[in-house]
Amino acid sequence: MGTFRGAGHPEQKFTARQIAEWVFENYPTECQEKKSKSTFIQSDADLVQQLVAEIGSQRPALQKRNSQIKTTEGRPRQYYWTAKTDQAEVDEAEKEGADAALVTGATSIKEHDLYPIVSEYLWSELGIYSKRIDEKKSSNKQGPRGNKWLYPDLVGMEDLTADWHQEIKGAVKEYADKKTKLWSFEVKVLLNRSNLRESFFQAVSNSSWANFGYLVAAEVEGADTMKELRMLFSLHGIGLIQIDPENPAESQILIPARERMEVDWATCNRLTRENKDFLQFIKLVRQFHQTGDPRPKDWDLPEGENLG
């Protein structure tokens, strides 16, 4: 791990293990001295693991002394150095134009790049049929930014009958019982302390109709951010998914959403009247309830899996 140079590589992110391996490689004398003084470090591997543990335990104090050292949340936590404020990081990730992107790993990601990645994760890991909602297809009766808090970026349908016996499906149809759960997703490239409340309440607003509402982010920065999000979840029930752009299967639900038992059909009616994508979503839900066929080809499923 000879490339790590702390502040010499601003914005570049490293795990605690990568930092520990760099320290071991570049400070052999100090590391061997630490090893010789310890009664429980028996090998170089033990030493590296001890360095990893110390980096983690000293993180809060280190960040208190130097606000330019920041961390991402999720597994594994990553450390990086930046002179940018939290707001500047968000502005750079969200601004319009060809240079608007967040570099995560070896990939430069924009919000629109995340939509198919989120759809892939929802289908492959959660079995949810999803569809993109483009606010530009709305009537815009409320003005140019009137839809910002009205429509989610993605909506989803969970087929509760997928593994049911045919007789059970028939019985549920006769009883007009619940066959689906509807999901709503607000997608962000980056969440940190400067935009978490606005992003969270945007998700609260545009998912009020659904059984489950989620905020989705490619990167979540700072333990304080997660603390605040958990507090807000306890009040409003919006969950959090951290999406891995390079490997969607490694994405994780950091905060599970709290289920609303009933869909708010009055709000759905308003969204359906004002947005063609949401109208198509509701048509697919209705058709599934009528026929039992989820019509996979009409959803935003990964290539090769939407030919049903």
Side-chain angles (χ1 to χ4, degrees), residues 14 18 34 66 70 75 78 85-86 88 103 126 135 139 164-165 179 184 186 198 228 236 249 268 271 291:
F14 303 91
Q18 288 174 319
K34 181 179 181 68
N66 191 334
K70 298 185 179 182
R75 299 189 304 268
Q78 294 180 306
T85 63
D86 289 340
V103 177
L126 302 178
E135 68 175 48
S139 61
W164 290 3
H165 190 281
K179 296 170 63 177
S184 172
E186 179 64 31
E198 179 180 3
E228 180 80 359
H236 303 281
C268 287
L271 300 180
T291 67

Side-chain angles (χ1 to χ4, degrees), residues 42 62 87 102 109 115 135 192 204 221 306:
Q42 303 297 319
L62 186 62
Q87 184 61 54
L102 175 74
I109 291 291
Y115 300 147
E135 68 175 48
N192 63 25
V204 169
E221 293 179 356
N306 57 354

Side-chain angles (χ1 to χ4, degrees), residues 35-245:
K35 179 180 175 182
S36 65
K37 290 180 179 180
S38 173
T39 59
F40 60 88
I41 297 177
Q42 303 297 319
S43 66
D44 289 347
D46 291 341
L47 176 59
V48 171
Q49 186 57 43
Q50 176 62 21
L51 292 174
V52 171
E54 291 178 3
I55 291 169
S57 65
Q58 295 175 20
R59 174 187 58 81
L62 186 62
Q63 290 181 299
K64 183 175 288 188
R65 292 195 303 268
N66 191 334
S67 62
Q68 294 172 320
I69 297 175
K70 298 185 179 182
T71 58
T72 64
E73 295 303 301
R75 299 189 304 268
R77 173 178 278 134
Q78 294 180 306
Y79 298 72
Y80 67 105
W81 185 96
T82 181
K84 296 175 184 175
T85 63
D86 289 340
Q87 184 61 54
E89 288 188 89
V90 170
D91 290 344
E92 183 168 312
E94 294 185 350
K95 68 183 177 181
E96 298 295 330
D99 59 342
L102 175 74
V103 177
T104 173
T107 308
S108 180
I109 291 291
K110 301 178 184 178
E111 184 176 310
H112 281 73
D113 298 329
L114 291 175
Y115 300 147
I117 297 172
V118 174
S119 291
E120 179 179 345
Y121 166 73
L122 294 175
W123 173 248
S124 62
E125 300 300 318
L126 302 178
I128 294 172
Y129 298 90
S130 63
K131 197 157 191 67
R132 166 82 173 112
I133 303 298
D134 187 350
E135 68 175 48
K136 294 178 181 178
K137 296 182 181 180
S138 303
S139 61
N140 289 324
K141 294 178 181 178
Q142 308 301 320
R145 292 181 62 82
N147 296 321
K148 180 179 180 181
W149 292 58
L150 191 58
Y151 299 102
D153 294 308
L154 295 169
V155 293
M157 182 187 78
E158 179 184 1
D159 176 8
L160 301 180
T161 73
D163 298 322
W164 290 3
H165 190 281
Q166 197 62 37
E167 289 297 327
I168 297 297
K169 292 183 180 181
V172 168
K173 183 175 182 180
E174 292 299 322
Y175 275 86
D177 212 340
K178 186 178 292 185
K179 296 170 63 177
T180 63
K181 291 182 181 179
L182 305 186
W183 299 57
S184 172
F185 306 92
E186 179 64 31
V187 180
K188 300 295 180 184
V189 175
L190 170 66
L191 281 179
N192 63 25
R193 289 173 297 180
S194 72
N195 73 334
L196 77 90
R197 292 187 69 87
E198 179 180 3
S199 299
F200 186 91
F201 285 108
Q202 186 179 359
V204 169
S205 176
N206 61 33
S207 69
S208 62
W209 55 273
N211 295 116
F212 294 99
Y214 273 94
L215 189 55
V216 183
E219 200 157 277
V220 182
E221 293 179 356
D224 289 343
T225 301
M226 286 301 301
K227 182 179 179 181
E228 180 80 359
L229 286 169
R230 289 191 178 96
M231 184 274 290
L232 291 171
F233 160 78
S234 70
L235 297 173
H236 303 281
I238 297 297
L240 174 65
I241 296 174
Q242 183 170 18
I243 197 76
D244 186 332

